[in-house]
Amino acid sequence: DIQMTQSPSTLSASVGDRVTITCRASQSISSWLAWHQQKPGKAPKLLIYKASNLESGVPSRFSGSGSGTEFTLTISSLQPDDFATYYCLQYNSYPHTFGQGTKVEIK
Amino acid sequence: EVQLVESGGGLVKPGGSLRLSCEGSGLLFSSYTMNWVRQAPGRGLEWVSSISSNGNYIYYEDSVKGRFTISRDNAKNSLYLQMNSLRAEDTAVYYCARFESMDVWGQGTTVTVSS
């Protein structure tokens, strides 16, 4: 099974900050990686698919990069609505696996 | 409107059974792989099972193999998860999600396994 290691687990930041979250796969997953945002009590929401493709309707301050085993999600200028938990998901092979999540908190 | 709506959750005793349903609308249901994902209280997301668009390919997370069965009825735009021999550790919010990248999610249905 492919393990996804996400870091950091918690991130404290201020509005306007540039934020980067990293996900590392235990073996190559090509570009079959998605990033999801989840707010408390709500379903997750897709932000990025195939490592770097912005889902329709998602603000352009979100971007994704990477391939193989190293991936990053970047928020260029953190907004109040962005305080949430973020998960990476590998869908290269079964079982699909999520990272353990990164909670972005207000500093 | 593109929408997935889960139902069927509830409180069940250990060893009991539940059948979850997920009905889709506005999203070409029959063309896509569908997934079940769960989230235990205070924990992260966990993939549970997937079924291909025509139902020919089915996959399960190891801890649910032999206990859970995923199925779909494309004529009814519906996805199902039959859960048998339930354990306390199956307690979670269960979500259905469309496609490998999970681009559309339902609102979730809560399953509580407790005596």
Side-chain angles (χ1 to χ4, degrees), chain B residues 5-56:
Chain B
V5 179
E6 301 96 336
S7 60
L11 173 64
V12 61
K13 288 181 167 54
S17 298
L18 275 178
R19 189 193 195 208
L20 306 184
S21 298
C22 167
E23 185 171 353
S25 57
L27 44 53
L28 296 174
F29 184 88
S30 61
S31 299
Y32 290 92
T33 289
M34 294 296 296
N35 311 278
W36 287 102
V37 174
R38 66 185 178 183
Q39 187 169 37
R43 304 295 295 273
L45 300 171
E46 180 183 38
W47 172 82
V48 173
S49 183
S50 297
I51 184 168
S52 62
S53 58
N54 59 10
N56 285 351

Side-chain angles (χ1 to χ4, degrees), chain A residues 18-106:
Chain A
R18 182 181 181 87
V19 165
T20 299
I21 299 169
T22 297
C23 212
R24 180 176 293 113
S26 60
Q27 62 191 75
S28 177
I29 58 170
S30 184
S31 296
W32 301 112
L33 185 107
W35 290 97
H36 292 264
Q37 177 195 65
Q38 187 180 33
K39 297 181 180 178
K42 300 295 187 182
K45 173 188 172 184
L46 177 66
L47 301 175
I48 302 285
Y49 63 95
K50 210 172 177 187
S52 60
N53 293 272
L54 192 68
E55 176 70 352
S56 176
V58 173
S60 59
R61 63 181 180 273
F62 291 93
S63 64
S65 64
S67 65
T69 61
E70 296 278 340
F71 302 87
T72 59
L73 172 71
T74 299
I75 309 172
S76 60
S77 177
L78 198 66
Q79 298 302 301
D81 190 50
D82 302 338
F83 291 97
T85 300
Y86 295 84
Y87 295 93
C88 61
L89 162 69
Q90 73 80 15
Y91 54 102
N92 177 75
S93 62
Y94 289 100
H96 291 342
T97 41
F98 289 92
Q100 69 270 35
T102 295
K103 185 176 183 179
V104 177
E105 298 180 328
I106 301 173

Side-chain angles (χ1 to χ4, degrees), chain B residues 88-109:
Chain B
E89 54 265 36
D90 296 318
T91 294
V93 176
Y94 285 73
Y95 297 99
C96 60
R98 183 183 81 164
F99 199 39
E100 282 82 353
S101 59
M102 303 190 195
D103 64 341
V104 180
W105 294 71
Q107 85 288 352
T109 188

Side-chain angles (χ1 to χ4, degrees), chain B residues 47-111:
Chain B
W47 172 82
V48 173
S49 183
S50 297
I51 184 168
S52 62
S53 58
N54 59 10
N56 285 351
Y57 298 95
I58 286 174
Y59 306 90
Y60 296 102
E61 190 266 329
D62 280 349
S63 72
V64 309
K65 280 180 187 174
R67 301 188 300 123
F68 290 10
T69 302
I70 191 171
S71 62
R72 65 191 297 162
D73 184 340
N74 286 340
K76 295 182 178 179
N77 287 339
S78 291
L79 174 73
Y80 306 102
L81 187 67
Q82 177 66 43
M83 304 187 296
N84 298 331
S85 303
L86 282 161
R87 306 167 179 167
E89 54 265 36
D90 296 318
T91 294
V93 176
Y94 285 73
Y95 297 99
C96 60
R98 183 183 81 164
F99 199 39
E100 282 82 353
S101 59
M102 303 190 195
D103 64 341
V104 180
W105 294 71
Q107 85 288 352
T109 188
T110 300
V111 173

